[in-house]
Amino acid sequence: MALLLNQRGSDVQITQEVVAAAAGNYGSGKEVMELLLDQRGSDFQITQEVVILIIRNFNKEVIALLNQRGSDVQITQKVVVAAAGNSRSGKEVVGLLLDQRGSDVQITEKVVVAAARNEDSGKEVIALLLNQRGSDVQITQEVVVAAA
């Protein structure tokens, strides 16, 4: 992607399909997303689906680049659920969302269930939610079942 942008920049169209492919690329997607957001971020729209893919799959560095788009990036319940389920960097991504977009981040039962089902970093995500937003975290039967 870097070669294409460097050699033929104006000929390379960054479509939703390109952004979605980069967001879903587990091998080098982080680097491609950083490149796209850094060099061509203003050339494409960040849709809800792309935000969810990015939040679910990448670490806080990519999320920080995404946050540079400000109000273009809506933090919906689906986005927060994706962050809580991020197996690689869930704690860091949820922490970044809480720090930078705190009032936009709603802690619903679905968010806590996603964290409880997150086998890799769910414990840390739940601890973070309890520490920072304890009164918002409802421990329901579905949460307990997901944790079990």
Side-chain angles (χ1 to χ4, degrees):
M1 183 57 75
L3 180 64
L4 289 173
L5 291 175
N6 288 334
Q7 295 287 322
R8 307 288 297 264
S10 60
D11 295 336
V12 177
Q13 287 190 316
I14 308 301
T15 64
Q16 285 302 118
E17 291 80 14
V18 171
V19 177
N25 179 340
Y26 293 104
S28 58
K30 175 184 177 284
E31 292 79 13
V32 175
M33 280 308 305
E34 287 175 337
L35 179 71
L36 290 176
L37 289 167
D38 188 45
Q39 290 189 11
R40 303 284 293 272
S42 60
D43 294 350
F44 58 87
Q45 180 184 13
I46 303 289
T47 65
Q48 177 77 20
E49 293 77 23
V50 169
V51 172
I52 290 169
L53 278 171
I54 292 170
I55 293 284
R56 182 182 303 133
N57 296 327
F58 297 116
N59 62 19
K60 66 181 183 178
E61 287 81 21
V62 176
I63 310 308
L65 283 172
L66 186 64
N67 273 336
Q68 291 175 1
R69 297 287 294 261
S71 61
D72 291 346
V73 177
Q74 299 298 315
I75 305 302
T76 64
Q77 178 182 326
K78 288 181 180 181
V79 169
V80 182
V81 167
N86 180 320
S87 60
R88 294 182 192 174
S89 305
K91 178 184 176 190
E92 292 79 16
V93 171
V94 171
L96 184 66
L97 288 177
L98 289 171
D99 290 344
Q100 293 188 351
R101 306 289 286 271
S103 61
D104 295 336
V105 178
Q106 293 183 8
I107 308 303
T108 64
E109 179 185 45
K110 288 182 180 185
V111 171
V112 183
V113 167
R117 288 184 178 149
N118 182 339
E119 293 180 14
D120 295 321
S121 62
K123 179 181 176 184
E124 291 84 10
V125 172
I126 290 175
L128 176 69
L129 293 174
L130 289 170
N131 288 335
Q132 290 196 13
R133 302 279 289 272
S135 61
D136 294 340
V137 178
Q138 296 181 346
I139 307 301
T140 64
Q141 182 68 24
E142 189 174 346
V143 170
V144 175
V145 168

